[in-house]
Amino acid sequence: MEYRTLPHGGERISVLGLGAGGLTGTTEEMTAVIETAIENGINYFDMATSERAPFFAYAKAFEGRREQILTQMHFGAVYQSGSYGWTREFTEIKRQFTWQLKLLKTDYTDMGFVHCIDDREDLDEVMQGGLWAYMKAIKADGVIRHLGSSSHNPDIARRFLDTGLVDLFMFSINPAYDYQAGEYAIGEVAERAALYRDCEKMGVGISVMKPFAGGQLLDARTSLFKRTLTHAQCFQYALDRPAVLTVLPGVRNMDDLRTALKYVDASPEEKDYSVISEFTPQDADGICVYCNHCQPCPMGLNIGLINKYYDLALAGDEMAKGHYQKLPVHADACVRCGHCESRCPFHVKQETRMEEIAAYFAMAR
Ligand code: SF4
Ligand code: SF4
């Protein structure tokens, strides 16, 4: 399992986390799924479930392991009826949070998220109605270690980013939504890409929900592109976006977990998602998506990473320059052999781009 570091805090987060929204079965069965996830290196757990029942499994599976795992709790998801409910009612939210901590025998959550906020009116209510103030206050007391939010809307995510107070947020990322297909394809292609870059620049991580667009991308009959993508392709696509630290597939049972875990040992060919070039909208054609389908470069350039660091540097990310300098081979080693251009399904003019990148970083030194 690969782990990525949360910039503000230093926690090491497994690139595969667990979304338990659809977890079903007896408490023993659900506990076994969570324990198997932990045994396989997963340490990041989202706690917005569709029923109250999985919380009891979390409690069992986490017993004696609190320091090994990271919890992402949602302020606004409530379970008084036994099933998921959404509220902004402050007392109910507090009651739910207190219940969760008690059940899990812990006195803190690693991540405390304003749950599912997609419109400005709702945002204003959260910011002015006391919930945000409450969350900030308990963060100051150490009860929440990192503040964040979950949203499908890049405009709302950006507003949280602008508070300067969030360390991580949950966002729906997959090739369909990024290419303006599907229910939650909110925002322009460039707006979404700019959001990910700005998060990276500000040291804010992203945990990814809906990596398969609610399962639609996994079946050609329902796929928004009329083509099946695999779990590994969807995971890799999300993990290649700037700022993404972890992807949270919604796991229903042990079979789903085992399928997701196959990503850990998947080959580069299995993770190659360059097939999405078939659906690239006009305004995204010619833009590098960092997929590395064009490898190998005879000069040993990591083409995807070089392009990513360049885009981040252009967006004002000071760290990106340092990351670029640490690469073993730089853009100035490009001999314009044309191999990558002939392989790139996104029609990126990489020879010219490498020249531009080399000149940029030479100036930036
Ligand atoms: S140049 Fe093309 S194939 Fe290579 S990483 Fe960029 S998008 Fe992928
Ligand atoms: S054109 Fe440059 S970056 Fe592309 S494969 Fe050739 S040497 Fe590598």
Side-chain angles (χ1 to χ4, degrees):
M1 181 69 70
E2 179 194 338
Y3 295 85
R4 294 184 177 178
T5 303
L6 181 69
H8 301 158
E11 287 90 338
R12 301 280 289 154
I13 299 177
S14 56
V15 292
L16 272 193
L18 197 83
L23 197 58
T24 52
T26 62
T27 304
E28 286 65 34
E29 286 165 340
M30 291 190 281
T31 305
V33 170
I34 299 162
E35 284 177 341
T36 305
I38 296 170
E39 283 153 19
N40 281 276
I42 289 177
N43 71 350
Y44 195 85
F45 297 87
D46 182 66
M47 310 202 75
T49 60
S50 58
E51 301 289 331
R52 183 168 49 196
F55 282 97
F56 298 100
Y58 270 135
K60 277 192 158 192
F62 291 170
E63 210 160 338
R65 293 165 153 152
R66 179 66 186 96
E67 295 308 313
Q68 277 178 47
I69 55 106
L70 298 162
T71 54
Q72 177 174 289
M73 291 188 190
H74 292 249
F75 288 66
V78 290
Y79 300 91
Q80 219 168 1
S81 70
S83 293
Y84 167 77
W86 180 96
T87 186
R88 292 284 180 243
E89 216 281 290
F90 188 45
T91 324
E92 231 185 299
I93 292 173
K94 253 167 102 172
R95 191 187 305 129
Q96 174 68 34
F97 179 56
T98 309
W99 177 81
Q100 279 172 214
L101 292 184
K102 195 172 167 205
L103 183 70
L104 267 56
K105 299 195 181 86
T106 185
D107 53 7
Y108 70 94
T109 181
D110 298 278
M111 316 294 159
F113 282 9
V114 178
H115 177 62
C116 196
I117 182 158
D118 278 345
D119 65 64
R120 286 197 190 186
E121 225 169 82
D122 190 20
L123 178 68
D124 289 344
E125 194 185 330
V126 165
M127 291 301 184
Q128 288 148 26
L131 178 58
W132 190 236
Y134 165 68
M135 291 176 70
K136 284 193 289 184
I138 60 173
K139 178 177 185 265
D141 293 339
V143 180
I144 292 176
R145 295 206 167 159
H146 301 281
L147 287 171
S149 65
S150 63
S151 178
H152 304 92
N153 184 336
D155 174 55
I156 300 295
R158 187 167 285 283
R159 275 155 196 275
F160 272 102
L161 201 59
D162 289 346
T163 65
L165 297 174
V166 301
D167 292 334
L168 190 104
F169 66 82
M170 193 184 201
F171 196 67
S172 41
I173 299 180
N174 60 60
Y177 297 168
D178 278 354
Y179 282 177
Q180 301 193 289
E183 190 187 352
Y184 293 113
I186 306 171
E188 302 290 320
V189 174
E191 182 186 3
R192 296 174 67 92
L195 173 71
Y196 312 152
R197 282 198 296 271
D198 286 347
C199 286
E200 173 106 18
K201 181 171 78 181
M202 294 174 71
V204 173
I206 300 176
S207 62
V208 174
M209 61 176 153
K210 300 191 172 62
F212 324 120
Q216 284 177 294
L217 292 176
L218 300 174
D219 187 331
R221 287 166 303 180
T222 55
S223 173
L224 299 150
F225 300 132
K226 308 287 176 237
R227 199 191 224 284
T228 305
L229 294 181
T230 64
H231 291 75
Q233 287 171 318
C234 293
F235 290 147
Q236 195 59 49
Y237 174 82
L239 288 168
D240 280 347
R241 296 316 96 204
V244 170
L245 300 178
T246 184
V247 182
L248 308 170
V251 164
R252 294 165 298 184
N253 50 39
M254 194 66 92
D255 284 349
D256 280 0
L257 175 65
R258 298 233 181 263
T259 303
L261 283 169
K262 283 185 187 154
Y263 168 79
V264 176
D265 297 316
S267 66
E269 290 74 26
E270 288 169 316
K271 294 174 182 172
D272 184 342
Y273 53 84
S274 58
V275 65
I276 66 168
S277 63
E278 290 175 17
F279 339 111
T280 310
Q282 220 176 359
D283 57 349
D285 196 50
I287 296 173
C288 182
V289 297
Y290 325 127
C291 68
N292 269 334
H293 178 76
C294 52
Q295 298 285 21
C297 162
M299 300 308 290
L301 277 77
N302 186 327
I303 297 168
L305 264 189
I306 287 173
N307 277 272
K308 190 193 268 190
Y309 293 150
Y310 178 52
D311 287 342
L312 287 166
L314 286 183
D317 183 346
E318 288 298 318
M319 307 269 283
K321 289 178 193 158
H323 294 323
Y324 174 82
Q325 302 301 352
K326 280 193 198 122
L327 289 173
V329 189
H330 298 117
D332 57 5
C334 171
V335 292
R336 300 180 75 101
C337 71
H339 174 77
C340 57
E341 284 201 15
S342 67
R343 290 265 299 154
C344 176
F346 300 88
H347 312 115
V348 179
K349 300 281 175 239
Q350 202 55 260
E351 290 182 13
T352 314
R353 196 162 153 88
M354 283 299 173
E355 206 175 314
E356 183 184 311
I357 296 173
Y360 174 86
F361 282 112
M363 292 278 290
R365 256 188 226 140

